[in-house]
């Protein structure tokens, strides 16, 4: 009983939490496209609005590895990105899984209160991160920023975070084609890849002025170089800016993900209402899609932030140094030892082989925890064996050749889903490591998020058509 009361603690303040009501009718695809476009325009606009009151931002960025994945833009209203949403969802999901919070999914009131509690925790995390950014002097020393500007910066970060929370809920409540999280991340990654391929800006190198975009640089080299083979060599292997080898690696990873995405195990279902008819329930190799990637990167980014803030103030503490020590290298803030160092991905194959201990620890940690995150999130998001068996039974479906009861279905699914989900997480981690080693643009994590988001939209549209066909058969 005490567990049930815990979720109701949010009820007295639920009316103060921003809430987007779910549509009372089916939203047409054209309308969803419009809503998705509006949300994207709002996000792109305010992610370009700089924060007022910043004293300086020229310091090295400790989160430069993660910003594309977390839909974050430094020094803008989108500074915090999707980190509060992901962190809140994971924390409350864990609390629900271990029984600290009890939620009856069949009760509409419980579902609404749980959603409100998730948003409330996200807002609290947003406020905490905003405080950490300012106190941690990411925008300059507090005494130079001033008390008023410090509070103003916190207010801007909190407002920016709440806007992202509301926009994500709007699209997730069936107003959009995809969730806000997927849209923001996919947009950031697409922008990053396109910019590094076609940027018209110039950069200085030992050879003079070159175009930043790898594709534009190729044509520029072909025009100014008499020796065309030299032009191709520079375009493919230059180090001063993105090159065509990185573009080729990116295309290779995209094609590899599209190929592996098709792998699945089909479970044959039968229904008493349609004797002799069968329906295939696919269990994909990428069973949990992008969830473990976002979770892992959110966890690591929080680790980076906490470690960085504490190291700036207590750099001599042994415990803080075990968490991570930091230094500026080539204009970037990087971890040089501690836990933060070992969970930082190698930038290329040369760094991978020249730091064997770090590489081995990184690979083992990422593989294991990606599998664990995937397995955990499968259960938390209702994709586990028990939830799937319950949904199949409610819809009148049973596994072919299995007794027509929920216990038998659960027992059979338990042999498949936990193994597939763990292997799915490990495969995603291996793709991430491979892409980082061969220098793909946007990182392996970013590419997988982008491709999987596009493929999920396609599959969702196909799935709706298939479901409508099945419903027609059942009604007949």
């Amino acid at each position: 009983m005490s567990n049930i009361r815990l979720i109701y603690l949010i009820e007295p303040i639920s009316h103060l939490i921003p809430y987007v009501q779910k549509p009372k009718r089916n939203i047409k695809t054209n309308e969803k496209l419009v809503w998705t476009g509006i949300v994207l325009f709002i996000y792109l606009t305010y992610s370009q609005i700089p924060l007022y009151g910043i004293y300086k931002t020229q310091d090295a960025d400790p989160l430069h590895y993660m910003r594309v994945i977390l839909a974050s833009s430094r020094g803008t209203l989108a500074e915090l990105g999707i980190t509060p949403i992901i962190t809140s969802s994971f924390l409350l999901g864990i609390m629900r899984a271990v029984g600290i919070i009890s939620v009856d999914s069949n009760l509409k009131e419980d579902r609404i209160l749980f959603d409100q509690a998730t948003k409330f925790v996200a807002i609290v995390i947003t406020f905490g991160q905003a405080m950490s950014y300012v106190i941690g002097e990411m925008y300059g020393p507090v005494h130079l920023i001033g008390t008023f500007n410090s509070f103003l910066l916190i207010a801007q970060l909190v407002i920016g975070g709440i806007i992202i929370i509301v926009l994500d809920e709007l699209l997730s409540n069936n107003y959009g084609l995809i969730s806000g999280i997927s849209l923001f991340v996919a947009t950031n990654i697409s922008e990053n890849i396109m910019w590094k391929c076609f940027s018209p800006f110039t950069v200085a190198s030992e050879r003079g002025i070159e175009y930043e975009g790898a594709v534009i640089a190729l044509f520029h080299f072909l025009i100014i170089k008499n020796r065309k083979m030299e032009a191709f060599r520079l375009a493919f292997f230059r180090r001063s800016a993105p090159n065509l080898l990185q573009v080729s690696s990116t295309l290779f990873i995209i094609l590899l993900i599209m190929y592996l995405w098709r792998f699945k195990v089909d479970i044959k279902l039968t229904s008493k209402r349609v004797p002799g008819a069968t329906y295939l329930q696919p269990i994909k190799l990428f069973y949990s899609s992008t969830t473990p990637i976002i979770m892992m990167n959110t966890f690591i980014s929080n680790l980076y932030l906490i470690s960085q803030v504490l190291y700036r103030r207590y750099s001599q503490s042994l415990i803080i140094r075990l968490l991570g020590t930091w230094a500026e290298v080539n204009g970037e803030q990087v971890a040089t030892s501690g836990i933060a160092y070992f969970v930082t991905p190698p930038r290329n194959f040369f760094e991978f082989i020249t730091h064997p201990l770090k590489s081995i620890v990184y690979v083992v940690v990422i593989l294991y925890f990606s599998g664990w995150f995937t397995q955990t999130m499968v259960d938390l998001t209702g994709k586990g064996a028990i939830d799937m068996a319950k949904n199949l039974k409610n819809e009148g479906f049973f596994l072919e050749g299995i007794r027509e009861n929920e216990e038998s279905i659960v027992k059979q699914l338990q042999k498949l889903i936990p193994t597939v989900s763990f292997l799915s997480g490990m495969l995603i981690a291996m793709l991430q490591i491979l892409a980082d080693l061969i220098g793909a643009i946007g990182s392996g994590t970013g590419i997988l998020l982008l491709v999987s988001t596009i493929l999920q939209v396609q599959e969702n549209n196909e799935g709706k058509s298939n479901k409508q066909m099945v419903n027609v058969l059942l009604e007949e």
Side-chain angles (χ1 to χ4, degrees):
M1 185 66 69
S2 61
N3 286 345
I4 296 177
R5 292 197 187 101
L6 189 58
I7 190 65
Y8 284 92
L9 292 176
I10 199 68
E11 191 171 17
I13 60 171
S14 61
H15 64 283
L16 300 175
I17 303 172
Y19 177 69
V20 178
Q21 187 174 9
K22 293 185 178 181
K24 298 180 180 180
R25 60 179 178 84
N26 291 328
I27 306 296
K28 297 180 180 179
T29 303
N30 290 339
E31 292 181 74
K32 289 185 177 181
L33 187 62
V34 172
W35 279 112
T36 304
I38 292 173
V39 169
L40 179 60
F41 175 78
I42 295 173
Y43 169 74
L44 290 176
T45 300
Y46 91 91
S47 64
Q48 300 298 319
I49 300 176
L51 295 169
Y52 176 81
I54 295 177
Y55 179 76
K56 62 176 181 178
T57 56
Q58 57 264 38
D59 283 350
D61 185 7
L63 300 178
H64 63 280
Y65 287 114
M66 304 293 176
R67 290 206 180 272
V68 174
I69 308 301
L70 299 177
S72 169
S73 179
R74 190 184 189 196
T76 70
L77 292 175
E79 175 78 69
L80 303 182
I82 61 173
T83 305
I85 303 175
I86 298 299
T87 306
S88 172
S89 299
F90 183 72
L91 288 177
L92 266 72
I94 290 293
M95 294 173 68
R96 182 178 178 181
V98 300
I100 298 176
I101 295 178
S102 179
V103 181
D104 187 350
S105 300
N106 296 320
L107 294 178
K108 181 180 178 182
E109 184 181 6
D110 271 24
R111 294 197 303 269
I112 292 176
L113 286 176
F114 184 75
D115 290 341
Q116 291 293 84
T118 303
K119 282 183 290 184
F120 175 75
V121 174
I123 293 173
V124 172
I125 293 173
T126 300
F127 181 78
Q129 286 192 321
M131 290 278 291
S132 300
Y133 274 57
V134 175
I135 296 175
E137 300 183 349
M138 291 193 67
Y139 306 120
V142 177
H143 68 279
L144 294 178
I145 294 176
T147 303
F148 177 77
N149 282 345
S150 296
F151 281 108
L152 189 60
L153 282 171
I154 293 173
Q156 292 174 86
L157 290 172
V158 171
I159 292 173
I162 292 175
I163 290 175
I164 286 187
I165 294 171
V166 173
L167 292 178
D168 174 62
E169 185 183 19
L170 175 66
L171 296 187
S172 298
N173 281 354
N174 207 32
Y175 285 99
L177 295 173
I178 55 177
S179 70
I181 291 175
S182 297
L183 178 66
F184 303 149
V185 174
T187 300
N188 262 20
I189 296 163
S190 301
E191 181 183 5
N192 186 41
I193 293 176
M194 293 298 293
W195 183 263
K196 290 188 177 182
C197 287
F198 303 103
S199 170
F201 284 81
T202 57
V203 294
S205 70
E206 65 274 11
R207 293 174 297 273
I209 300 299
E210 299 176 356
Y211 283 97
E212 183 180 8
V215 176
I216 295 181
L218 169 64
F219 291 102
H220 177 242
F221 289 143
L222 289 173
I223 292 173
I224 66 173
K225 298 290 183 181
N226 295 325
R227 299 169 57 188
K228 303 308 176 186
M229 290 303 297
E230 176 68 12
F232 277 105
R233 188 188 67 80
L234 289 175
F236 271 89
F237 301 107
R238 66 173 182 168
R239 296 184 178 182
S240 56
N243 56 57
L244 287 182
L245 184 61
Q246 293 175 309
V247 176
S248 302
S249 300
T250 305
L251 292 175
F252 169 74
I253 294 296
I254 290 175
L255 294 175
L256 179 60
I257 294 171
M258 293 177 66
Y259 173 73
L260 294 174
W261 190 269
R262 305 168 67 91
F263 283 80
K264 60 183 179 179
V265 176
D266 289 325
I267 300 176
K268 287 188 177 182
L269 306 177
T270 59
S271 174
K272 286 184 176 180
R273 288 180 284 180
V274 186
T278 60
Y279 172 72
L280 296 180
Q281 175 68 43
I283 306 295
K284 299 186 299 181
L285 182 59
F286 291 105
Y287 187 63
S288 64
S289 63
T290 61
T291 301
I293 309 176
I294 298 177
M295 287 293 178
M296 279 292 296
N297 283 275
T298 301
F299 176 79
I300 294 174
S301 70
N302 287 327
L303 172 64
Y304 282 176
L305 177 61
I306 294 171
S307 174
Q308 174 98 115
V309 171
L310 293 176
Y311 183 72
R312 285 186 176 183
R313 291 183 170 269
Y314 311 104
S315 59
Q316 301 304 317
S317 171
L318 177 61
I319 297 178
I320 302 304
R321 295 180 71 86
L322 287 175
L323 190 61
T325 60
W326 296 80
E328 187 170 335
V329 179
N330 297 327
E332 296 179 349
Q333 196 76 13
V334 298
T336 55
S337 67
I339 297 175
Y341 169 74
F342 284 103
V343 296
T344 301
R347 301 185 183 185
N348 48 54
F349 185 74
F350 179 76
E351 183 177 328
F352 183 83
I353 60 176
T354 54
H355 298 78
L357 178 60
K358 175 194 174 183
S359 301
I360 293 173
V361 173
Y362 172 77
V363 169
V364 172
V365 169
I366 294 300
L367 289 179
Y368 175 78
F369 279 100
S370 291
W372 180 81
F373 267 114
T374 304
Q375 231 177 18
T376 303
M377 291 309 300
V378 162
D379 293 329
L380 295 181
T381 55
K383 294 183 179 181
I386 296 176
D387 294 301
M388 181 178 287
K390 186 181 296 184
N391 292 335
L392 291 175
K393 183 182 178 181
N394 292 338
E395 294 178 5
F397 289 103
F398 300 93
L399 299 185
E400 188 178 48
I402 303 297
R403 288 182 181 181
E404 297 178 356
N405 58 68
E406 187 174 330
E407 292 76 15
S408 299
I409 299 176
V410 170
K411 185 177 180 181
Q412 191 67 20
L413 292 177
Q414 285 282 18
K415 299 178 181 178
L416 179 64
I417 291 181
T419 302
V420 171
S421 60
F422 193 86
L423 292 177
S424 172
M426 292 186 68
L427 176 61
I428 290 172
M430 285 189 282
L431 285 172
Q432 172 183 339
I433 294 171
L434 174 63
D436 291 336
L437 290 181
I438 63 178
I441 297 175
S443 81
T445 304
I447 297 170
L448 182 55
L449 285 168
L450 173 61
V451 176
S452 60
T453 298
I454 296 173
L455 294 176
Q456 278 179 338
V457 172
Q458 179 184 353
E459 287 185 354
N460 288 340
N461 292 332
E462 294 176 353
K464 290 178 182 178
S465 301
N466 293 337
K467 189 173 183 179
Q468 291 174 352
M469 294 176 64
V470 172
N471 290 338
V472 170
L473 289 174
L474 294 177
E475 291 173 358
E476 294 177 353

